[in-house]
Amino acid sequence: MRFCVLGSGSKGNATFVESGQTRLLIDAGFSGKEIERRLEEIGVAAETLSGLLITHEHGDHVKGAAILSRRFRLPVFINEATLAAAGPVLDNLPQCQPFVTGQTFVFQDFQIHPFAISHDAADPVGFLLNNGRLFLGYCTDTGVVSKLMQHRLSSCHGLVLEANHDPDLLRNGPYPPSLQQRVRGKTGHLANAEAAGFLSDILHDALEHVVLSHISETNNHPDLAQEAMAAVLESLRRQRGDDCPVPAISLAHQDRVGEVVTLGGKGQ
Ligand SMILES: [Zn+2]
Ligand SMILES: [Zn+2]
């Protein structure tokens, strides 16, 4: 299995995931053209995509979904509340495949489990993708970490995890109080320390790679997100010694594609 965050942040989100012959996008929050361009950068032709998975209806997650779906006849996997809340931007999808949050479904090479997250959208979800051997977790746009998230993401080999903001930068930044409240609220976005605490809770030897995503350009700095995670890994090394397996940590970017990560199933 390999994956790549094509871009992430409040201006657009899309992640490519591949296993066997199946090529998926999780969210399509850039223009269709921009997503095609970013896929090309990692050597993937958009016409070889198999389908789209949608987490929630915010524009930074669905902007290009309908156009890509029409242009390449792609099935769009989405829950009904999200589809209804999206309105015209997702009207007339050629192939809509509704899923039910909490119910696993199978599409080609993937078993896909959508699980509930805490965000100010109709029925927002994270995803756990499984190709029969490896698990990839995807979880952004959540105001809190829940027991359910912990349960679902506790045995991932790869993880795309939100590290949205630093509370001090948010407080001292340009956002008006109401918007600050939305970001830090229970249905907003995860702070660096909350993401780090979550990583610490689910850390296990088979976790190979974590991509920090949805990093705010206004209320965060990539170094701060990275440092919060490094502290978690450092404390693990202190407990278990320098040889203990730790995941690689990379950053997703708003304006360019991230690293293409291949999961190998080490520690299995
Ligand atoms: Zn978002
Ligand atoms: Zn959102």
Side-chain angles (χ1 to χ4, degrees):
M1 191 190 306
R2 62 177 190 141
F3 69 100
C4 173
V5 179
L6 299 174
S8 181
S10 58
K11 295 180 191 142
N13 293 272
T15 294
F16 171 75
V17 187
E18 175 187 65
S19 181
Q21 298 300 306
T22 310
R23 293 179 150 185
L24 302 176
L25 281 187
I26 302 176
D27 287 336
F30 299 94
S31 72
K33 278 266 167 288
E34 180 64 13
I35 290 175
E36 286 182 52
R37 193 187 66 74
R38 291 187 187 215
L39 282 168
E40 249 166 53
E41 265 188 51
I42 59 165
V44 173
E47 50 265 38
T48 64
L49 288 173
S50 316
L52 306 179
L53 307 178
I54 303 294
T55 60
H56 66 294
E57 70 273 20
H58 291 160
D60 58 322
H61 298 261
V62 298
K63 186 178 177 188
I67 185 80
L68 287 176
S69 163
R70 280 194 287 270
R71 194 173 291 155
F72 303 110
R73 310 295 305 168
L74 297 174
V76 177
F77 296 87
I78 185 169
N79 63 41
E80 282 180 357
T82 300
L83 182 63
V89 69
L90 291 184
D91 267 356
N92 301 319
L93 295 175
Q95 274 191 73
C96 187
Q97 304 272 354
F99 63 72
V100 175
T101 302
Q103 289 185 11
T104 303
F105 60 95
V106 173
F107 177 61
Q108 298 183 3
D109 291 290
F110 284 101
Q111 204 177 54
I112 299 161
H113 184 85
F115 58 90
I117 57 174
S118 178
H119 193 54
D120 52 0
D123 187 4
V125 299
F127 290 108
L128 180 63
L129 283 78
N130 164 15
N131 68 353
R133 194 170 78 87
L134 296 161
F135 288 86
L136 174 68
Y138 183 94
C139 187
T140 71
D141 297 74
T142 187
V144 290
V145 293
S146 64
K147 283 257 177 297
L148 177 69
M149 275 171 57
Q150 235 165 344
H151 173 63
R152 290 299 167 198
L153 300 175
S154 60
S155 52
C156 292
H157 299 87
L159 177 63
V160 178
L161 179 65
E162 170 166 69
N164 177 258
H165 60 275
D166 172 84
D168 291 334
L169 289 182
L170 178 64
R171 192 177 317 112
N172 299 315
Y175 279 20
S178 59
L179 187 52
Q180 287 190 23
Q181 189 50 44
R182 191 210 146 222
V183 169
R184 77 165 73 87
K186 281 191 165 47
T187 56
H189 292 277
L190 276 193
N192 293 336
E194 293 170 311
F198 180 69
L199 177 65
S200 168
D201 288 342
I202 61 153
L203 210 50
H204 58 97
D205 288 358
L207 180 60
E208 294 172 28
H209 200 115
V210 179
V211 181
L212 302 178
S213 65
H214 223 300
I215 297 171
S216 171
E217 292 179 302
T218 311
N219 306 308
N220 207 352
H221 189 283
D223 290 349
L224 293 173
Q226 187 88 281
E227 282 162 19
M229 305 303 144
V232 171
L233 303 187
E234 195 43 53
S235 121
L236 182 75
R237 284 198 192 92
R238 271 201 305 276
Q239 283 167 34
R240 292 187 42 196
D242 285 341
D243 300 341
C244 82
V246 294
I249 309 274
S250 66
L251 298 170
H253 310 284
Q254 180 71 88
D255 58 343
R256 62 189 192 278
V257 300
E259 187 180 332
V260 179
V261 178
T262 302
L263 299 174
K266 71 172 186 188
Q268 279 203 315

